[in-house]
């Protein structure tokens, strides 16, 4: 029970005192299914040929893909949290298919944002003038910029940084192009059409279990369970270490030859997922009152974990580029500095999360 004090957004104590019935679950799922179908219609009307560039008139293809991802994630998270109240055969079939779709649609933007992050870091590390301020390119924000970002001024970079930037640009642009093709193939596949058909049914009929429709049921215990899973996962993090800036913990094994992602990052990524699931549960209970950022009333914590994910993936991309055979020593050096810089960003994000989480604990202690 003591963990309830860690976060003031516990769904068991937030919002109205009366029980939240399965009707709210059905309404929420229908609303998200409707959003999914609306985004799909927009995507089809706009065409998919220019979605990769993000420069279509009005930006419709990019916005449609983003809306598809958002609604798919919300449906998937809700199926996971409230699965005891939903028909198991139906939910266990739809859940992995929506997860596949949202993951496929997210990769293209992730590569583009990663490249932008790394090129900006290279400019900063080499002492070049910063880029003009641009629209945020964080996860889930794939909308077009009002002014295209200028290409990096290679003359202002050191030779090693310039070559490192060129190498990253080639590798990540290729990965982005492949992801774009995979997304187009996915949206035209029979697998996707089956998912869309199931979501269309969901927009009008939510398959609740017989017990959920005949027995008085409150959604709060299931939402509270999502909250408790988050609190338990946060408790397992090394928050004491993260609370000390410049502890270099995020650089441990940073020069390992193992190309796998940092194993120490996985628990933080898991907390980010649990925070999102808790947010969706809170959003279902509270409606618009919960729409103030990832994590409900903890937008700072959610933003810190987004930064953690972005920096860790950018560091992995720099390390992968440094393993390219026969690159010049100056290029490898620049990529090593870039990798270390992004791992320090990982550490800074952990510190920011620790501060925001502990601040919530103090405010409710």
């Amino acid at each position: 029970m003591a963990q309830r004090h860690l976060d003031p957004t516990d769904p068991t104590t937030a919002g109205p005192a009366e029980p939240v019935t399965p009707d709210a679950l059905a309404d929420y799922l229908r609303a998200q299914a409707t959003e999914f179908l609306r985004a799909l219609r927009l995507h089809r009307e706009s065409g998919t040929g220019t979605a990769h560039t993000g420069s279509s008139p009005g930006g419709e293809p990019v916005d449609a893909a983003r809306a598809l991802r958002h609604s798919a994630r919300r449906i998937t998270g809700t199926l996971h949290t409230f699965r005891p109240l939903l028909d198991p055969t139906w939910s266990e079939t739809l859940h992995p298919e929506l997860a596949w779709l949202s993951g496929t649609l997210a990769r293209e933007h992730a590569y583009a944002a990663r490249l932008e992050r790394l090129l900006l870091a290279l400019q900063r590390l080499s002492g070049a003038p910063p880029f003009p301020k641009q629209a945020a390119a964080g996860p889930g924000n794939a909308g077009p910029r009002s002014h295209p970002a200028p290409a990096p001024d290679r003359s202002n970079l050191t030779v090693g940084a310039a070559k490192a930037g060129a190498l990253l640009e080639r590798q990540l642009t290729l990965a982005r192009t492949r992801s774009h093709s995979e997304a187009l193939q996915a949206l035209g596949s029979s697998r996707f059409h089956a998912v869309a058909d199931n979501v269309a049914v969901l927009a009008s009929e939510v398959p609740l279990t017989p017990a959920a429709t005949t027995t008085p049921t409150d959604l709060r215990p299931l939402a509270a369970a999502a909250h408790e899973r988050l609190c338990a996962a946060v408790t397992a993090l090394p928050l004491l270490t993260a609370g000390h800036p410049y502890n270099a913990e995020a650089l441990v094994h940073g020069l390992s030859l193992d190309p796998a992602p940092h194993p120490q990052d996985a628990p933080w990524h898991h907390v980010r997922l649990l925070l999102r699931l808790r947010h969706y549960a809170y959003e279902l209970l509270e409606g618009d009152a919960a729409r103030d950022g990832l994590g409900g009333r903890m937008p700072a914590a959610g933003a810190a974990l987004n930064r953690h994910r972005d920096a860790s993936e950018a560091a992995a991309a720099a390390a992968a580029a440094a393993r390219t055979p026969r690159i010049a020593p100056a290029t490898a050096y620049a990529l090593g500095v870039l990798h270390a810089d992004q791992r320090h960003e990982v550490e800074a994000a952990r510190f920011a999360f620790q501060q925001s989480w502990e601040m919530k604990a103090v405010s409710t202690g």
Side-chain angles (χ1 to χ4, degrees):
M1 296 298 293
Q3 289 196 28
R4 297 293 176 89
H5 290 289
L6 288 176
D7 182 358
T9 59
D10 187 341
T12 60
T13 59
E18 63 272 10
V20 181
T21 68
D23 289 341
L25 171 61
D27 290 343
Y28 184 80
L29 284 173
R30 279 194 293 265
Q32 295 306 320
T34 300
E35 289 298 317
F36 181 97
L37 297 174
R38 182 179 295 115
L40 178 58
R41 183 172 62 252
L42 175 62
H43 184 86
R44 287 171 173 169
E45 292 173 352
S46 304
T48 59
T50 56
H52 172 59
T53 64
S55 59
S56 60
E60 289 87 350
V62 176
D63 286 346
R66 177 188 177 191
L68 280 171
R69 294 201 312 270
H70 283 196
S71 56
R73 283 201 301 258
R74 279 173 164 78
I75 295 172
T76 303
T78 304
L79 295 183
H80 177 82
T81 300
F82 298 98
R83 61 183 179 275
L85 303 178
L86 298 161
D87 177 80
T89 302
W90 170 82
S91 60
E92 290 171 9
T93 299
L94 184 58
H95 183 282
E97 293 303 286
L98 284 172
W100 158 75
L101 176 63
S102 61
T104 300
L105 294 179
R107 280 194 287 271
E108 178 186 357
H109 168 69
Y111 283 121
R114 197 169 306 152
L115 175 60
E116 181 178 30
R117 180 185 185 91
L118 289 169
L119 294 182
L120 286 170
L122 277 173
Q123 277 219 326
R124 170 173 50 80
L125 292 168
S126 64
F131 286 129
K133 188 173 182 180
Q134 303 167 13
N141 183 13
R145 302 180 183 88
S146 56
H147 300 286
D153 183 0
R154 303 300 187 191
S155 64
N156 289 324
L157 300 174
T158 64
V159 173
K163 290 185 176 179
L167 177 60
L168 288 166
E169 196 156 11
R170 287 195 301 272
Q171 292 183 347
L172 292 177
T173 299
L174 176 60
R176 180 186 178 185
T177 301
R178 288 173 175 168
S179 296
H180 175 67
S181 299
E182 291 171 0
L184 291 181
Q185 291 173 3
L187 291 173
S189 68
S190 58
R191 183 178 182 181
F192 171 73
H193 288 301
V195 173
D197 289 344
N198 283 330
V199 175
V201 173
L202 179 62
S204 59
E205 180 182 356
V206 177
L208 299 172
T209 62
T213 58
T214 60
T215 306
T217 305
D218 187 3
L219 301 184
R220 288 179 179 276
L222 292 173
H227 176 81
E228 294 299 332
R229 286 191 291 270
L230 169 63
C231 290
V234 172
T235 300
L237 292 176
L239 289 185
L240 182 62
T241 299
H244 296 280
Y246 307 110
N247 60 73
E249 183 70 18
L251 284 169
V252 174
H253 307 306
L255 298 180
S256 170
L257 295 177
D258 185 359
H262 277 251
Q264 60 166 290
D265 291 345
W268 297 83
H269 296 332
H270 183 58
V271 167
R272 178 179 177 273
L273 172 62
L274 293 177
L275 182 58
R276 173 171 282 171
L277 291 175
R278 198 224 59 87
H279 171 61
Y280 296 156
Y282 184 89
E283 188 176 81
L284 192 159
L285 297 181
E286 296 296 312
D288 292 340
R291 296 179 181 273
D292 59 353
L294 181 62
R297 295 175 189 170
M298 292 200 301
L305 291 177
N306 283 341
R307 285 171 48 207
H308 181 276
R309 189 273 314 273
D310 293 345
S312 66
E313 291 182 348
R323 297 186 184 96
T324 303
R326 297 182 296 278
I327 59 175
T331 305
Y333 173 77
L335 289 168
V337 171
L338 181 60
H339 174 268
D341 173 75
Q342 292 302 300
R343 292 307 301 178
H344 279 299
E345 289 288 326
V346 168
E347 180 184 306
R350 292 178 184 177
F351 178 73
F353 174 80
Q354 186 271 344
Q355 294 291 294
S356 64
W357 185 268
E358 292 301 326
M359 186 177 299
K360 292 300 180 183
V362 169
S363 68
T364 58

